[in-house]
Amino acid sequence: MSIKKEAPKTTQRQAEKCPECGGANLVHDYDTGETVCGDCGLVLYEQMMDKGPEWRAFTQEEKASRSRVGVPTSYSVHDKGLSTAISQVDRDAFGRKLPLSTRLQMWRLRKWQIRSRVHSSIDRNLAQAMAELDRLSDKVYIPPPIKEKAAVVYRKALDKGLVRGRSIAAIAAAALYAACRGSGTPRTLREIAEASLVDKKDVARCYRLLLRELEVHMPIADPLTYVSKIAEKTGISGKTQGAAINILREARRKRAAAGKDPMGLAAAALYIACLQNNEKKTQKDIAEAAGVTEVTVRNRYKTLKKQLNLELPD
């Protein structure tokens, strides 16, 4: 009985130096598939394998649009977007309808795919919370990066056991408000509570819980971020907005805005700027756009007028 010996496996290694001149300046030309010595011009290798894509891209945008990778992982999706989904369309690639046996098979696969995606109680909780977070973000016009931050806050709360025994919608709304406060996005607690299905007191209670348990330090609300929002609703000009911003900066310098509601301060500064620029806007119009009462606008107006020594009509 003869035993056939296997030939030893050899690995081909490309030279790191030119065998002709000994230079290390090797140039890899992927268009022609050659490796050339940059000093003497000797062709070391030819017909090299190009491991790059077969398409060409001349700009960064074109290169990004032709990439074959999938969507990036997202915290606002309960499984971070890593799983696959089986479509509801019962047709093949040519548009022809699938036979009955194949349709039944795809129906069973689709059912078990959904069950495998949402398997544990944490997955079910996340699926419900991320759907609510997506609905809230669409309703109050939250940009995607802020929604991602809110999803991270909710996941931290879920890992710490803060959601157990509490409303998922309330924690999701509180996480979204925390993300808006942390990033300086001008969204008030009242706006998020009205878009949510939970009472404002419950959202505020969950928000305080998140700050306390997650040890999150929120920046002080800046009234400057609310100026453009109020002015957009009331149709105030850009010149008046600039004057209102200067009034708020002067009030901050003289510490006249400490401890006051930022929305009321922004509304009062806009009202003062309208008086200075002769724009016909009433306290009622600005108060309705800001979501505060006329009394609040009037009180903040009197405070700013007194602290900043402004010459304005009563």
Side-chain angles (χ1 to χ4, degrees):
M1 183 178 180
S2 61
I3 300 176
K4 186 177 180 181
K5 294 183 179 180
E6 294 183 357
K9 296 182 179 180
T10 60
T11 58
Q12 183 180 1
R13 185 178 180 183
Q14 294 184 357
E16 297 178 356
K17 292 184 179 181
C18 176
E20 186 72 23
C21 65
N25 184 18
L26 303 182
V27 180
H28 303 282
D29 190 354
Y30 293 103
D31 292 335
T32 60
E34 296 177 347
T35 300
V36 185
C37 177
D39 296 332
C40 66
L42 178 68
V43 179
L44 277 72
Y45 302 100
E46 59 182 356
Q47 296 181 356
M48 291 176 57
M49 182 181 295
D50 186 7
K51 298 181 180 180
E54 77 279 359
W55 42 259
R56 295 186 301 170
F58 301 100
T59 62
Q60 189 65 28
E61 292 79 9
E62 188 177 359
K63 183 177 180 181
S65 64
R66 291 187 175 184
S67 178
R68 284 199 178 91
V69 297
V71 295
T73 56
S74 173
Y75 287 102
S76 58
V77 182
H78 76 278
D79 54 3
K80 298 182 182 179
L82 297 175
S83 63
T84 57
I86 301 177
S87 175
Q88 299 283 345
V89 180
D90 293 328
R91 294 183 180 274
D92 59 7
F94 297 99
R96 296 173 298 196
K97 199 168 184 179
L98 297 175
L100 180 60
S101 59
T102 309
R103 289 204 304 270
L104 292 176
Q105 182 184 8
M106 298 308 296
W107 183 83
R108 289 191 297 270
L109 288 174
R110 193 181 299 119
K111 178 178 68 175
W112 285 106
Q113 170 70 8
I114 295 173
R115 289 182 181 180
S116 64
R117 288 183 65 187
V118 189
H119 180 65
S120 63
S121 60
I122 294 179
D123 290 334
R124 289 194 296 270
N125 188 302
L126 278 176
Q128 184 176 349
M130 295 303 113
E132 174 66 15
L133 196 61
D134 191 56
R135 187 190 68 84
L136 278 179
S137 301
D138 289 341
K139 205 163 186 180
V140 295
Y141 306 105
I142 299 295
I146 309 303
K147 184 171 71 171
E148 290 290 319
K149 291 183 179 180
V152 172
V153 173
Y154 185 89
R155 288 175 183 272
K156 289 181 179 179
L158 184 62
D159 292 339
K160 209 161 185 179
L162 304 180
V163 187
R164 183 179 296 275
R166 295 181 177 87
S167 171
I168 296 177
I171 298 291
L176 185 61
Y177 178 64
C180 291
R181 279 290 300 270
S183 60
T185 306
R187 299 293 184 276
T188 61
L189 183 64
R190 182 183 294 108
E191 290 177 345
I192 294 179
E194 287 177 354
S196 178
L197 305 175
V198 190
D199 189 63
K200 179 185 174 183
K201 291 183 178 180
D202 296 333
V203 178
R205 189 182 300 114
C206 293
Y207 171 69
R208 292 192 296 269
L209 174 72
L210 292 179
L211 297 187
R212 184 174 63 252
E213 295 296 331
L214 300 181
E215 298 180 358
V216 180
H217 301 283
M218 285 295 167
I220 299 175
D222 192 0
L224 295 176
T225 59
Y226 297 100
V227 171
S228 60
K229 181 179 179 180
I230 302 172
E232 184 69 24
K233 290 184 179 180
T234 53
I236 296 176
S237 64
K239 179 182 177 181
T240 305
Q241 293 182 43
I245 290 174
N246 292 331
I247 291 171
L248 290 174
R249 287 175 177 169
E250 182 68 18
R252 180 192 296 170
R253 190 179 66 84
K254 292 188 175 181
R255 299 186 179 276
K260 301 297 188 296
D261 179 28
M263 188 66 82
L265 278 172
L270 275 173
Y271 178 67
I272 293 174
C274 288
L275 292 179
Q276 292 177 344
N277 293 336
N278 295 323
E279 286 199 28
K280 302 298 182 180
K281 299 296 179 183
T282 62
Q283 292 181 358
K284 182 179 179 181
D285 297 335
I286 298 178
E288 288 179 354
V292 296
T293 62
E294 296 181 48
V295 179
T296 301
V297 177
R298 196 174 300 119
N299 290 337
R300 298 291 87 79
Y301 160 71
K302 291 179 180 178
T303 302
L304 292 176
K305 179 183 175 182
K306 181 180 179 182
Q307 295 288 338
L308 303 181
N309 297 322
L310 298 175
E311 295 295 333
L312 295 171
D314 293 330

